[in-house]
Amino acid sequence: MIQIRQFPYRPHDYETEKASNSYLMSLIAAIAGLPLPIVNLLATLFFYLSNRKGTYFVRWHCTQALVSQVFLLGTNSVGFWWTVSVFMGDVDFTNQYMGYMVTLVLFNLAEFAATIYTAIQTRKGIHVEWWFYGNLTHLICPAK
């Protein structure tokens, strides 16, 4: 899921701190707005917007954090609204629902662990690319 790659240059300390904070922003937002999946995305989006003119290292990691939150929003929103429908009595509690929720919890735990690991490694100046998200980030955030 995670690959450590060489970055085109050695980032300075202020860059590694900002890049690391882009991942920490989503963790803090997750704790603050746990039942609402949009809170993580909004917090990461605001951090991305405030750093989009930063150095390439900072922009790249802010973009990767944002891309991961966009995908997480989709899966968590389905789970959130499906759960609301089950509690309201509109939909039955089925094996499909239970399977989706177990998968969703595992996916969120994996993303949470990967985010913590990436924040720590990025703070050390190590460039970490997530599987799938890293490739999308290269397409969205080219080196200038």
Side-chain angles (χ1 to χ4, degrees):
M1 182 172 166
I2 294 177
Q3 298 176 357
I4 296 177
R5 299 218 175 151
Q6 247 348 75
F7 205 69
Y9 67 92
R10 177 77 178 142
H12 295 287
D13 280 343
Y14 73 91
E15 293 177 82
T16 61
E17 185 175 351
K18 280 187 176 183
S20 178
N21 288 345
S22 68
Y23 297 103
L24 294 176
M25 185 62 62
S26 66
L27 294 176
I28 292 169
I31 293 167
L34 194 56
L36 299 174
I38 191 87
V39 175
N40 303 21
L41 179 67
L42 290 175
T44 307
L45 177 65
F46 288 135
F47 195 81
Y48 167 80
L49 291 174
S50 67
N51 289 293
R52 68 179 174 211
K53 298 201 189 269
T55 63
Y56 180 52
F57 188 78
V58 174
R59 282 186 295 115
W60 196 95
H61 284 283
C62 286
T63 304
Q64 180 172 256
L66 182 62
V67 168
S68 72
Q69 289 302 312
V70 167
F71 281 95
L72 202 60
L73 173 70
T75 58
N76 286 346
S77 292
V78 170
F80 177 79
W81 291 110
W82 199 350
T83 301
V84 168
S85 296
V86 167
F87 283 129
M88 298 299 275
D90 299 337
V91 177
D92 293 331
F93 187 88
T94 62
N95 287 338
Q96 289 84 5
Y97 169 75
M98 195 62 197
Y100 186 84
M101 293 311 289
V102 167
T103 304
L104 186 63
V105 167
L106 292 175
F107 182 66
N108 276 279
L109 287 174
E111 197 271 341
F112 190 78
T115 300
I116 291 172
Y117 174 79
T118 305
I120 292 168
Q121 295 301 92
T122 304
R123 181 61 180 104
K124 294 176 185 176
I126 300 170
H127 177 64
V128 178
E129 291 185 17
W130 293 12
W131 176 79
F132 185 70
Y133 300 141
N135 293 334
L136 286 175
T137 303
H138 282 299
L139 293 173
I140 296 169
C141 184
K144 288 184 181 178

